Amino acid sequence: MTKPIEGKPSERNYEEAVARLEEIVGQLEAGNLALDASLSLFEEGIGLAKYCSEKLDAAEGRLQILLGFNGDVPTIGPFKLNPEED
Amino acid sequence: MAPKYITVSQLTYALKRVIEDNVSLEGVWVQGEISNFTRHSSGHLYFTLKDEGACVKCVMFKSQAWTLKFRPADGQAVDIQGRLGIYEKSGQYQLYVDIMEPAGLGQLYQAFEKLKTKLEQEGLFDQARKQQLPPLPQQIALITSPTGAAIQDMIKILHRRRPNLDILIFPAKVQGADAPQSLIKALNEAARFRNLDLVIIGRGGGSLEELWAFNDEGLARAISDFPKPIISAVGHETDFTIADFVADLRAPTPSAAAELAVPDESALKRNLANLQKRLANTVQQKIQSYRRDLQRLKSSRVLVAPEQGLNIRRQELDMLRERAVRQLRQDLYAKREQYYKILGKLDALSPLATLSRGYSITQKADGTFVKNSDLVENGEMVKVTLAMGVLSCEVKDKYKGSQLK
């Protein structure tokens, strides 16, 4: 099961990764593949799903405002939503 | 010369002709400041247009007034296009307003059109120059006023759609003479953040003058040169600015920009979970199906009971063996029959049978049959076998011939 996975997930963006995943699921669901081929597709699919999941959770949800630059170093502070507007 | 009299109506009519037919006033715009503004319950607008030296009464009928894009008020400078007329009953000339705009707007439009044509000819609006928006941004920049309602709306929508998104705000002035420079500075600052995926530049709704910073040539070029995709979001749906034309995507409003900038994360997660489930199912089903096939093959007779084949052979062997034994028995039987037959014959020929008729056999000590009396000496011991029993005898006499007397 060491068949190389075509196109490493890291070289794709989220959209492409999901599109490839859809394709793989479609192929597997069609079900006319040899076991070896299905398993290597499955392996690729698992990799893509993991990658997509990580992409979704990658950011940290920070809300910040640029206060200025000290030379090349930016000063960044937290930004609060106006509570009255909430 | 006799004086010529005309009526007031005739005079007014003549003046009316002079004013209304004056070709030099046709299509002219009048600039001035509004005073004594009244909105009549009929929907008609009445006001006086004045400057330092003069004033003129104006009326804008309801049929024209509803097209106004702003709310006129006392003290506001406006440009007006209309026709001059005389209201006979009060003997007043007045301006019947067809179009009214805030002052200077016409010039702004001209400048706008000129810049738009210029940049368009330079190819700054070409579709080929537009960058694709990232499908799933991790970090997004908002270049706008940090205090307006627009930023609040955008943050709320961005957060709702993608809670994990990193939002970095680059505060900028969005109206006034120094707004373009402030926006350009914010863009330059944002360009230094390499991890940014996307920029939204814009502001909430406002008057045309308030939105004017986004028609600045310098800002247009800064947006066009920006290394990352930019969404412009200026004012309302009906407001178009130069920034909108150079941006990679124009959003009708800041809220819409937030919607366009990030996908709905929960929908993506649902889709992904569904795909993962289907992925797992397919392979499980495949493996199960293979397992079933394997089971079926394994349960096939030849593999499950190989001894059965052996048994058949074993049975054959048994049958063969049985046949052999039977044959042997028959042979034995036949042989035995033959044996008995021979035995019978032997019996018939046997001397013992002769003995039973009263004959006896005489043998010397060495076993020699005594067929002739010459073979023995007187006094010699001989063995005489009878049908029943054996005698040990001593020879007393011998006689020649075959008869005992």
Side-chain angles (χ1 to χ4, degrees):
Chain A
M1 231 51 56
T2 50
K3 197 182 155 195
I5 292 162
E6 42 175 304
K8 274 183 282 173
S10 59
E11 289 162 8
R12 301 171 185 275
N13 65 31
Y14 183 87
E15 214 168 34
E16 288 166 350
V18 167
R20 174 69 184 143
L21 183 54
E22 301 243 19
E23 190 188 350
I24 285 172
V25 170
Q27 280 179 6
L28 286 173
E29 281 176 345
N32 40 17
L33 291 165
L35 184 60
D36 261 9
S38 334
L39 285 180
S40 75
L41 271 182
F42 175 72
E43 201 180 327
E44 186 187 346
I46 289 290
L48 287 165
K50 182 165 169 283
Y51 164 79
C52 290
S53 196
E54 283 170 358
K55 268 274 186 187
L56 280 173
D57 294 330
E60 293 168 41
R62 286 171 303 190
L63 178 55
Q64 295 173 310
I65 186 164
L66 177 74
L67 300 172
F69 270 93
N70 185 2
D72 271 349
V73 184
T75 315
I76 293 167
F79 185 81
K80 288 268 174 280
L81 270 179
N82 187 348
E84 285 128 70
E85 299 272 344
D86 243 347
Chain B
M1 202 165 93
K4 185 182 177 188
Y5 298 97
I6 56 168
T7 63
V8 176
S9 291
Q10 282 172 324
L11 174 67
T12 305
Y13 182 72
L15 277 172
K16 208 172 153 77
R17 294 292 301 272
V18 168
I19 292 172
E20 291 179 5
D21 295 349
N22 191 327
V23 182
S24 67
L25 291 177
E26 256 175 39
V28 161
W29 286 81
V30 188
Q31 198 168 71
E33 189 182 290
I34 295 174
S35 65
N36 299 322
F37 180 83
T38 11
R39 183 184 294 271
H40 196 263
S41 58
S42 62
H44 308 323
L45 310 181
Y46 299 96
F47 57 94
T48 304
L49 193 66
K50 63 171 192 180
D51 61 15
E52 297 82 16
C55 65
V56 58
K57 291 229 171 254
C58 296
V59 57
M60 189 171 199
F61 293 122
K62 189 185 174 184
S63 54
Q64 269 81 39
W66 76 272
T67 63
L68 280 178
K69 292 199 177 83
F70 68 106
R71 293 186 69 84
D74 284 348
Q76 187 173 17
V78 289
D79 294 333
I80 285 175
Q81 194 179 43
R83 78 200 148 76
L84 204 56
I86 284 182
Y87 184 56
E88 293 94 333
K89 290 204 168 124
S90 65
Q92 279 185 323
Y93 75 94
Q94 54 186 8
L95 201 52
Y96 296 91
V97 182
D98 291 326
I99 303 168
M100 177 160 64
E101 289 172 352
L105 207 62
Q107 284 159 313
L108 286 180
Y109 270 131
Q110 279 185 0
F112 175 86
E113 286 300 331
K114 208 172 141 193
L115 179 59
K116 189 181 159 208
T117 310
K118 179 180 166 191
L119 296 181
E120 192 163 19
Q121 280 169 355
E122 282 184 36
L124 259 65
F125 306 163
D126 286 359
Q127 279 304 315
R129 284 182 69 102
K130 309 248 181 243
Q131 298 185 55
Q132 280 273 304
L133 298 191
L136 186 71
Q138 312 287 352
Q139 207 178 70
I140 193 169
L142 304 181
I143 299 182
T144 187
S145 160
T147 56
I151 194 166
Q152 303 284 334
D153 293 345
M154 285 194 283
I155 290 169
K156 267 182 253 171
I157 291 167
L158 289 171
H159 190 74
R160 190 189 67 218
R161 289 176 70 83
R162 181 140 164 66
N164 283 332
L165 185 71
D166 288 334
I167 303 170
L168 189 51
I169 295 154
F170 294 81
K173 295 186 74 171
V174 292
Q175 65 190 68
D178 45 358
Q181 273 317 306
S182 176
L183 289 163
I184 292 168
K185 179 168 171 274
L187 271 174
N188 289 338
E189 285 167 347
R192 294 162 76 169
F193 287 77
R194 286 166 186 273
N195 289 335
L196 282 178
D197 295 314
L198 178 64
V199 171
I200 299 177
I201 189 167
R203 54 156 293 149
S207 71
L208 243 149
E209 295 101 311
E210 284 171 337
L211 305 183
W212 207 254
F214 291 87
N215 290 319
D216 181 79
E217 182 172 352
L219 178 62
R221 294 190 186 281
I223 290 174
S224 179
D225 291 343
F226 196 77
K228 301 282 172 59
I230 295 190
I231 300 178
S232 71
V234 184
H236 296 123
E237 187 146 13
T238 48
D239 301 320
F240 275 86
T241 63
I242 298 291
D244 291 326
F245 293 112
V246 287
D248 297 299
L249 183 70
R250 172 195 183 253
T253 62
S255 299
E259 303 264 354
L260 291 166
V262 293
D264 183 1
E265 193 172 309
S266 60
L268 293 183
K269 281 189 169 163
R270 274 197 303 278
N271 181 39
L272 189 60
N274 175 38
L275 282 172
Q276 276 174 307
K277 203 170 131 198
R278 281 167 62 197
L279 182 68
N281 281 349
T282 57
V283 165
Q284 258 166 24
Q285 275 166 9
K286 185 120 200 157
I287 288 174
Q288 264 166 17
S289 132
Y290 273 103
R291 201 165 271 157
R292 272 197 304 275
D293 288 351
L294 194 59
Q295 199 56 48
R296 193 167 47 75
L297 286 172
K298 271 162 73 179
S299 63
S300 115
R301 220 160 11 100
V302 285
L303 292 179
V304 161
E307 60 270 29
Q308 213 161 354
L310 276 181
N311 279 348
I312 291 171
R313 274 161 188 80
R314 217 167 260 156
Q315 209 172 341
E316 283 173 2
L317 194 62
D318 283 349
M319 276 164 66
L320 279 173
R321 189 182 292 148
E322 215 167 287
R323 270 173 64 195
V325 167
R326 204 162 46 226
Q327 194 62 51
L328 208 63
R329 276 206 192 111
Q330 274 178 3
D331 289 357
L332 268 177
Y333 184 76
K335 291 250 160 53
R336 197 173 285 156
E337 288 289 292
Q338 202 178 8
Y339 166 72
Y340 284 132
K341 242 183 234 167
I342 292 166
L343 216 60
K345 275 185 192 160
L346 277 177
D347 201 35
L349 294 173
S350 163
L352 291 175
T354 313
L355 290 182
S356 66
R357 292 204 301 271
Y359 294 91
S360 62
I361 299 160
T362 305
Q363 287 170 285
K364 287 177 54 130
D366 62 358
T368 318
F369 290 103
V370 182
K371 298 177 183 172
N372 189 334
S373 56
D374 290 344
L375 290 174
V376 291
E377 301 302 324
N378 281 341
E380 189 178 337
M381 292 302 290
V382 291
K383 191 174 92 175
V384 176
T385 304
L386 309 173
M388 301 287 277
V390 178
L391 300 176
S392 179
C393 302
E394 188 184 334
V395 178
K396 283 227 171 150
D397 280 313
K398 312 193 288 182
Y399 305 95
K400 290 273 184 193
S402 57
Q403 288 287 315
L404 275 177
K405 283 276 173 119

